[in-house]
Amino acid sequence: MAPRRRGACPAAAVFVAAVVAVGFAAEAADMVQERLTVGMTIVADAASTGAVCLDGSPPAYHLHRGSGAGARSWLLQFEGGGWCNDVRSCTERAGTRRGSTRLMTKVEVFSGILSNRPSMNPDFYNWNRVKLRYCDGGSFSGDSEYKNGSSVLYFRGQRIWDAIITDLLQKGLAKAKNVLLSGCSAGGLATFFHCDSLKERLGGATTVKCLSDAGFFLDLTDISGNNNMRKFFSSLVSLQGVQKNLNKDCQNSTDCPYMCFFPQYALPDIRTPYFILNSAYDVYQFHHIFVPPSSDPGGQWSRCKMDPGACSTSQIATLQGLRTAMLTSLKQIEGEPEAGMFVNSCFAHCQSELQDTWFEPDSPMIHDKRW
């Protein structure tokens, strides 16, 4: 099956909604309504527990309160944005919005799954919606630091997560009936790491489910036969002190604990219900894992990467290897009652945050029903 171009791909919200089963009715919304912008909340006292960004700045999030039937339901969305795996890349990152809340925009536009418009986000529009800002470079999982003279890099993703949840518990999360933990890209990966711990922290009175959007990063050999992601994740786990926070059951089943940073190996040990939203031709994995620049020194894949319609027949055939690897890795959850997935063939990366790939009039249906 040839992959479809992104423009031909429908939104995926209906499939996610079917799994989380929230069942809120869609209502009419004013299409002229201005975009929802939400201010930043700094967790000022987080530094006392060592919960700081790469540069030592405090963590932050954006919260838009729920209302009506959604007042006791919460959607937490991890921000994405790649990783850093060595001192050089982490130092560079610390001087950008990816490593410092001082350099981040102080307001965020909430769209897609975070939208407050019933016609664009019928299932979650009136929930308490939170965007967790990403500033640790390790998918909210590290706990270490690096010192070089007076220069310090803080790898405190786990503490940032704990500090934000502690702050939100005081703002109503502790009384939540429903919680959906979600995330995009590196944030989607973070949902696998924190799904069970959030459930444990909230207790049995709260229904917790998790949604990973474009977070299923594969343990995959590229077209030249190299596996650079193993080297990358191995060095990241070592530098940022991630191992102690990875799933213990997963670590007990492998001789290389860093492998548990790959979702495909952690999945069997996740107990909380989760849903995977991913493209089988995820453009990030296509460009950086399956056909990274190091595997294409002559640039033969450049046009194909810029425009999938320009891919040759042989390149399309090669790309089937990415799709096959994705589907093979996901086979382990087929039929699992606490797991679900929607894997399409779009050339896309992250589909829940942008309106055109989340919910539009031409979105797909299941058995002739949108919900």
Side-chain angles (χ1 to χ4, degrees), residues 27-43:
E27 300 175 3
D30 183 3
M31 298 303 289
V32 185
Q33 179 180 338
E34 293 184 1
R35 296 184 304 172
L36 173 65
T37 57
V38 181
M40 175 184 284
T41 298
I42 295 289
V43 188

Side-chain angles (χ1 to χ4, degrees), residues 282-297:
D282 183 282
V283 292
Y284 181 90
Q285 300 197 57
F286 169 21
H287 292 180
H288 301 286
I289 300 177
F290 192 57
V291 191
S294 60
S295 70
D296 183 35

Side-chain angles (χ1 to χ4, degrees), residues 5-7 283 286-287 291 296 299-312 315 319 347-348:
R5 304 174 80 177
R6 177 176 176 180
V283 292
F286 169 21
H287 292 180
V291 191
D296 183 35
Q300 297 178 349
W301 283 80
S302 297
R303 288 187 62 213
C304 179
K305 286 182 175 181
M306 291 293 294
D307 176 14
C311 297
S312 67
Q315 287 172 329
L319 274 174
F347 281 94

